[in-house]
Coordinates of all heavy atoms in Angstrom, one line a residue:
P23 N 111.6 107.7 97.2 CA 111.4 106.3 97.2 C 111.8 105.6 98.5 O 111.3 104.6 98.9 CB 112.4 105.8 96.1 CG 113.4 107.0 95.9 CD 112.6 108.2 96.2
E24 N 112.7 106.2 99.3 CA 113.1 105.7 100.6 C 111.9 105.6 101.5 O 111.6 104.5 102.1 CB 114.2 106.5 101.3 CG 115.5 106.5 100.5 CD 115.5 107.6 99.4 OE1 114.5 108.4 99.4 OE2 116.5 107.7 98.7
R25 N 111.2 106.7 101.7 CA 110.0 106.7 102.6 C 108.9 105.9 101.9 O 108.1 105.2 102.7 CB 109.6 108.1 102.8 CG 110.6 109.0 103.6 CD 109.9 110.3 104.0 NE 110.9 111.2 104.7 CZ 111.6 112.1 104.1 NH1 111.6 112.2 102.8 NH2 112.5 112.8 104.8
A26 N 108.8 105.9 100.6 CA 107.7 105.1 100.0 C 107.8 103.6 100.2 O 106.9 102.9 100.4 CB 107.7 105.4 98.5
V27 N 109.1 103.1 100.2 CA 109.3 101.7 100.4 C 108.9 101.4 101.9 O 108.3 100.4 102.1 CB 110.8 101.3 100.2 CG1 111.1 99.9 100.7 CG2 111.1 101.4 98.6
L28 N 109.3 102.3 102.8 CA 108.9 102.0 104.2 C 107.3 102.0 104.3 O 106.8 101.1 105.0 CB 109.4 103.1 105.1 CG 110.9 103.1 105.4 CD1 111.4 104.3 106.2 CD2 111.3 101.8 106.1
A29 N 106.7 102.9 103.6 CA 105.2 102.9 103.7 C 104.6 101.7 103.1 O 103.6 101.1 103.6 CB 104.7 104.2 102.9
A30 N 105.3 101.2 102.0 CA 104.8 99.9 101.4 C 104.9 98.8 102.4 O 103.9 98.0 102.5 CB 105.7 99.6 100.1
V31 N 106.0 98.6 103.1 CA 106.2 97.5 104.0 C 105.2 97.6 105.1 O 104.7 96.6 105.6 CB 107.6 97.5 104.5 CG1 107.8 96.3 105.5 CG2 108.6 97.2 103.3
V32 N 105.0 98.8 105.6 CA 104.0 99.0 106.7 C 102.6 98.6 106.2 O 101.9 97.9 107.0 CB 104.0 100.5 107.2 CG1 102.8 100.7 108.1 CG2 105.3 100.8 107.9
G33 N 102.2 99.0 105.0 CA 101.0 98.6 104.5 C 100.8 97.1 104.3 O 99.7 96.5 104.6
V34 N 101.9 96.4 103.9 CA 101.8 95.0 103.7 C 101.6 94.3 105.1 O 100.9 93.4 105.3 CB 103.1 94.5 103.0 CG1 103.2 93.0 103.1 CG2 103.1 94.9 101.6
F35 N 102.4 94.8 106.1 CA 102.3 94.3 107.4 C 100.8 94.5 108.0 O 100.2 93.5 108.5 CB 103.3 94.9 108.4 CG 103.1 94.6 109.8 CD1 103.6 93.4 110.3 CD2 102.4 95.4 110.7 CE1 103.4 93.1 111.7 CE2 102.2 95.1 112.0 CZ 102.7 93.9 112.5
A36 N 100.4 95.7 108.0 CA 99.1 96.0 108.5 C 97.9 95.3 107.8 O 97.0 94.7 108.5 CB 98.8 97.5 108.5
G37 N 98.0 95.2 106.5 CA 97.0 94.5 105.7 C 96.9 93.0 106.1 O 95.8 92.5 106.2
Q38 N 98.0 92.4 106.2 CA 98.0 91.0 106.6 C 97.4 90.7 108.0 O 96.7 89.7 108.2 CB 99.4 90.4 106.5 CG 99.9 90.3 105.0 CD 101.3 89.7 104.9 OE1 101.4 88.5 104.7 NE2 102.3 90.5 105.1
V39 N 97.8 91.6 108.9 CA 97.3 91.4 110.3 C 95.8 91.6 110.3 O 95.0 90.8 110.9 CB 98.0 92.4 111.2 CG1 97.3 92.4 112.6 CG2 99.4 92.1 111.4
V40 N 95.3 92.6 109.6 CA 93.8 92.9 109.6 C 93.1 91.8 108.8 O 92.0 91.3 109.3 CB 93.5 94.3 109.0 CG1 92.0 94.5 108.8 CG2 94.1 95.4 109.8
R41 N 93.6 91.4 107.7 CA 93.0 90.3 106.9 C 92.8 89.0 107.7 O 91.8 88.3 107.6 CB 93.8 90.1 105.6 CG 93.1 89.0 104.7 CD 94.0 88.7 103.5 NE 95.2 88.2 103.8 CZ 96.1 87.7 102.9 NH1 95.8 87.9 101.6 NH2 97.3 87.2 103.2
S42 N 93.8 88.7 108.5 CA 93.8 87.5 109.3 C 93.0 87.5 110.6 O 92.9 86.5 111.3 CB 95.2 87.0 109.5 OG 95.9 87.9 110.4
A43 N 92.4 88.7 110.9 CA 91.7 88.8 112.1 C 90.5 87.8 112.1 O 90.1 87.3 113.2 CB 91.2 90.2 112.3
G44 N 89.9 87.6 111.0 CA 88.9 86.5 110.8 C 87.6 86.7 111.5 O 87.0 85.8 111.9
T45 N 87.1 88.0 111.6 CA 85.8 88.2 112.2 C 84.7 88.5 111.2 O 83.5 88.2 111.5 CB 85.9 89.4 113.1 OG1 86.4 90.6 112.4 CG2 86.9 89.2 114.3
S46 N 85.0 89.0 110.0 CA 83.9 89.3 109.1 C 84.5 89.5 107.7 O 85.7 89.8 107.6 CB 83.2 90.6 109.5 OG 84.0 91.7 109.4
L47 N 83.7 89.4 106.7 CA 84.1 89.7 105.3 C 84.5 91.2 105.1 O 85.6 91.4 104.5 CB 83.0 89.4 104.3 CG 83.3 89.7 102.9 CD1 84.5 89.0 102.3 CD2 82.0 89.4 102.0
P48 N 83.8 92.2 105.6 CA 84.2 93.6 105.4 C 85.6 93.8 106.0 O 86.4 94.5 105.4 CB 83.2 94.4 106.2 CG 81.9 93.5 106.1 CD 82.4 92.1 106.2
L49 N 85.9 93.2 107.2 CA 87.3 93.4 107.8 C 88.3 92.8 106.9 O 89.4 93.3 106.7 CB 87.3 92.9 109.2 CG 88.5 93.2 110.0 CD1 88.6 94.7 110.2 CD2 88.5 92.5 111.4
A50 N 88.0 91.6 106.4 CA 88.9 90.9 105.6 C 89.2 91.6 104.3 O 90.3 91.7 103.8 CB 88.4 89.5 105.2
L51 N 88.2 92.3 103.7 CA 88.3 93.1 102.5 C 89.1 94.3 102.8 O 90.0 94.7 101.9 CB 86.9 93.4 101.9 CG 86.1 92.3 101.3 CD1 84.7 92.8 100.9 CD2 86.9 91.8 100.0
V52 N 88.9 94.9 103.9 CA 89.7 96.1 104.3 C 91.2 95.7 104.4 O 92.1 96.4 103.8 CB 89.2 96.7 105.6 CG1 90.2 97.8 106.1 CG2 87.9 97.4 105.4
G53 N 91.5 94.6 105.1 CA 92.9 94.2 105.2 C 93.5 93.9 103.9 O 94.6 94.2 103.6
T54 N 92.7 93.2 103.0 CA 93.2 92.9 101.7 C 93.5 94.1 100.9 O 94.5 94.2 100.1 CB 92.2 92.0 101.0 OG1 91.9 90.8 101.7 CG2 92.7 91.6 99.6
A55 N 92.6 95.1 101.0 CA 92.8 96.4 100.2 C 94.1 97.1 100.8 O 94.8 97.7 100.0 CB 91.6 97.3 100.3
V56 N 94.3 97.1 102.1 CA 95.5 97.8 102.7 C 96.7 97.1 102.2 O 97.7 97.8 101.8 CB 95.4 97.8 104.2 CG1 96.7 98.2 104.8 CG2 94.2 98.7 104.7
L57 N 96.8 95.8 102.2 CA 98.0 95.1 101.8 C 98.2 95.3 100.3 O 99.3 95.4 99.8 CB 98.0 93.6 102.2 CG 97.2 92.6 101.5 CD1 97.8 92.0 100.2 CD2 96.9 91.4 102.4
G58 N 97.1 95.3 99.5 CA 97.1 95.6 98.1 C 97.7 97.0 97.8 O 98.5 97.2 96.9
A59 N 97.3 98.0 98.6 CA 97.9 99.3 98.5 C 99.3 99.3 98.8 O 100.2 100.0 98.1 CB 97.1 100.3 99.4
G60 N 99.7 98.6 99.9 CA 101.1 98.5 100.2 C 102.0 97.9 99.1 O 103.1 98.4 98.8
I61 N 101.5 96.8 98.6 CA 102.3 96.2 97.5 C 102.3 97.1 96.3 O 103.4 97.1 95.6 CB 101.6 94.8 97.1 CG1 101.7 93.8 98.3 CG2 102.3 94.2 95.9 CD1 101.0 92.5 98.1
T62 N 101.3 97.8 96.0 CA 101.3 98.7 94.8 C 102.3 99.8 95.0 O 103.1 100.1 94.0 CB 99.9 99.4 94.7 OG1 98.9 98.4 94.6 CG2 99.9 100.3 93.5
I63 N 102.5 100.4 96.2 CA 103.5 101.3 96.4 C 104.9 100.7 96.2 O 105.8 101.3 95.6 CB 103.4 101.9 97.8 CG1 102.1 102.7 98.0 CG2 104.6 102.8 98.1 CD1 101.8 103.1 99.4
G64 N 105.1 99.5 96.7 CA 106.3 98.8 96.5 C 106.6 98.5 95.0 O 107.8 98.6 94.6
N65 N 105.6 98.1 94.3 CA 105.7 97.9 92.9 C 106.3 99.1 92.1 O 107.0 98.9 91.1 CB 104.4 97.5 92.2 CG 103.9 96.1 92.6 OD1 104.7 95.3 93.1 ND2 102.6 95.8 92.4
V66 N 105.9 100.3 92.6 CA 106.4 101.5 91.9 C 107.7 101.9 92.5 O 108.6 102.3 91.7 CB 105.3 102.6 92.1 CG1 105.8 103.9 91.5 CG2 104.0 102.3 91.4
A67 N 107.9 101.9 93.8 CA 109.1 102.5 94.4 C 110.3 101.6 94.2 O 111.4 102.2 93.9 CB 108.8 102.6 95.9

């Protein structure tokens, strides 16, 4: 769980940065999926 929480926070950070890049819908969806994955790990860990 220690490393998983770290991975979760990294995912949340990276997802928000990519989502806010604001260049295209696919990029925004990728960022949203990454932050969703990070939050999911946190929800479990």
Side-chain angles (χ1 to χ4, degrees):
E24 298 86 4
R25 295 188 183 95
V27 170
L28 287 175
V31 177
V32 169
V34 170
F35 171 83
Q38 290 182 96
V39 171
V40 172
R41 182 182 65 174
S42 62
T45 58
S46 66
L47 175 62
L49 191 63
L51 287 173
V52 168
T54 302
V56 170
L57 74 85
I61 294 174
T62 303
I63 296 170
N65 286 344
V66 176

